[in-house]
Amino acid sequence: MSKTDYITLNNGIKIPQIGFGCWKVDQVTCAEQIYEAIKVGYRLFDGAMDYGNEKQVGEGINRALKEGLVKREELTVVSKLWNTYHHPKSVKIAINKVLSDLQLDYIDVFYIHFPIAQKFVPIEVKYPPGFFCGKDGVWEFEDVPLADTWKAMEGLVEEGLVKSIGISNFPGALIQDLLRGCKIKPQLLQIEHHPYLVQPKLIEWVQNQGIAITGYSTFGPQSFLELDMKNAKDAVSLFEQESVVSIAKKHNVTPAKVLLRWCTQRGLLIIPKSNKKERLVENLQINDFNLTEEDIATTSGLDIGLRFNDPWTWCEIPTYI
């Protein structure tokens, strides 16, 4: 990967702009997929406690390390603190579980997955717990301020267990409140980001604070079809949007490449995934052309505020993100 494919965080650490997203990667194939992704050049792997595949992610990474395909310091390994571990005492339990599953001494980025504190569920009771809070169908919460959770996250950095810390799915007001009292400014914000949900004001403000942004579900409804979500099935595929197809033809690239470049050219990090090796390679090579300002404006103009990963609808979704 070239130097232009890296983003420098506000703590001076450089991480790849293009990574491999581990959400929805099946446990059966996960280790091999991670290993193959490393072989073709991926150096950032975006995982989470809630994805239920961190043991397999760790297997793939450690296989590549043992074979000398890559050095540990060349990888950016990412995980996310799940909702049931927001209490400061639970944060340490969570990172120990993550490191144990990944078979690593530290991780590079640890996000707070959502600004929602649910009741703690012991690992031996259910892991990952998802929405389970002790009783099926019953949601319970903990009165834990985000500032307390963040202070515990800062402690992980001070202990050397985590290099960088970030927030995910946070609205602007909560980010502003966090910045007022934090000792370590968040290095990253991860948000749902695609042409149907651009969030331009949030992006502009966050970037002005020196916080890097990772966009997930860049392909919009395509990313959520497996969850059998009605709004995803009803939405026009971004791969078939007339304007996206037209831009792709103009540059002699695929619509997928247009959507990914639309993000990176605006300074965002991205974490696409694919089961096919040729697409893995293609996704790493999206910075080899430039969209025009008109192309970017046209793609952003598809914004209709359509959010697929909305906590207010979680009770309607049979499987979780």
Side-chain angles (χ1 to χ4, degrees):
M1 298 173 72
S2 68
K3 291 182 179 179
T4 56
D5 292 323
Y6 283 77
I7 295 288
T8 301
L9 304 178
N10 60 36
N11 58 2
I13 294 176
K14 292 184 177 182
I15 66 172
Q17 187 179 24
I18 305 167
F20 181 94
C22 301
W23 173 45
K24 298 186 301 181
V25 177
D26 189 88
Q27 288 184 358
V28 176
T29 60
C30 183
E32 185 66 22
Q33 283 187 259
I34 298 300
Y35 175 76
E36 289 297 328
I38 290 174
K39 285 180 70 175
V40 301
Y42 282 85
R43 295 295 180 263
L44 185 149
F45 294 89
D46 183 272
M49 302 178 75
D50 192 54
Y51 298 166
N53 57 12
E54 289 198 313
K55 285 185 177 180
Q56 292 74 26
V57 170
E59 289 171 9
I61 288 173
N62 282 281
R63 178 185 171 189
L65 292 174
K66 289 175 183 176
E67 293 183 10
L69 296 180
V70 68
K71 296 177 181 178
R72 174 64 186 92
E73 58 269 24
E74 295 174 331
L75 296 177
T76 298
V77 182
V78 180
S79 187
K80 304 179 189 74
L81 180 80
W82 183 240
N83 303 341
T84 48
Y85 302 95
H86 273 225
H87 193 282
K89 292 181 180 179
S90 304
V91 171
K92 194 63 177 291
I93 293 172
I95 194 62
N96 286 338
K97 173 62 173 171
V98 169
L99 294 175
S100 174
D101 282 352
L102 291 170
Q103 303 173 61
L104 298 173
D105 297 326
Y106 69 91
I107 61 171
D108 300 273
V109 179
F110 200 35
Y111 291 99
I112 297 178
H113 206 154
F114 285 92
I116 299 170
Q118 290 177 263
K119 181 181 177 181
F120 173 72
V121 176
I123 290 170
E124 59 271 19
V125 172
K126 183 175 176 60
Y127 187 86
F131 296 135
F132 179 77
C133 295
K135 298 177 183 178
D136 286 326
V138 178
W139 285 52
E140 296 183 67
F141 300 91
E142 287 190 331
D143 292 327
V144 181
L146 286 169
D148 290 356
T149 305
W150 188 254
K151 186 176 181 180
M153 296 280 283
E154 293 173 330
L156 302 182
V157 177
E158 293 165 356
E159 290 186 58
L161 300 175
V162 176
K163 298 289 186 182
S164 303
I165 48 179
I167 48 181
S168 178
N169 300 296
F170 273 53
L174 289 182
I175 300 171
Q176 186 180 57
D177 188 62
L178 191 64
L179 290 176
R180 290 191 179 107
C182 64
K183 183 163 61 173
I184 299 176
K185 178 187 286 190
Q187 274 79 53
L188 293 133
L189 167 69
Q190 186 167 127
I191 55 172
E192 179 181 344
H193 180 67
H194 45 77
Y196 289 153
L197 184 69
V198 181
Q199 307 190 75
K201 294 297 183 182
L202 175 64
I203 288 173
E204 180 183 12
W205 184 79
V206 169
Q207 288 180 329
N208 284 339
Q209 307 310 307
I211 300 171
I213 298 176
T214 300
Y216 69 81
S217 299
T218 313
F219 300 144
Q222 191 70 26
S223 303
F224 295 90
L225 292 176
E226 296 170 50
L227 300 183
D228 198 31
M229 293 172 62
K230 187 177 186 303
N231 59 351
K233 290 187 291 185
D234 291 345
V236 176
S237 169
L238 285 167
F239 296 153
E240 298 172 1
Q241 268 287 352
E242 184 177 345
S243 57
V244 175
V245 172
S246 176
I247 293 169
K249 288 181 179 178
K250 181 173 71 174
H251 293 281
N252 195 30
V253 297
T254 63
K257 198 164 182 174
V258 169
L259 296 171
L260 295 173
R261 185 60 177 137
W262 171 74
C263 291
T264 62
Q265 197 168 324
R266 292 161 47 244
L268 277 68
L269 293 90
I270 53 171
I271 46 173
K273 77 173 181 71
S274 178
N275 299 325
K276 297 182 178 181
K277 187 174 181 179
E278 60 271 21
R279 287 184 182 172
L280 280 176
V281 174
E282 179 182 287
N283 289 345
L284 271 180
Q285 299 173 342
I286 59 169
N287 287 349
D288 58 359
F289 79 107
N290 288 320
L291 298 169
T292 66
E293 290 185 11
E294 183 181 1
D295 294 336
I296 292 174
T298 298
T299 305
S300 297
L302 295 171
D303 189 8
I304 53 175
L306 179 55
R307 187 184 302 275
F308 297 102
N309 190 10
D310 184 354
W312 291 106
T313 65
W314 278 352
C315 59
E316 304 167 8
I317 303 173
T319 5
Y320 175 57
I321 297 159

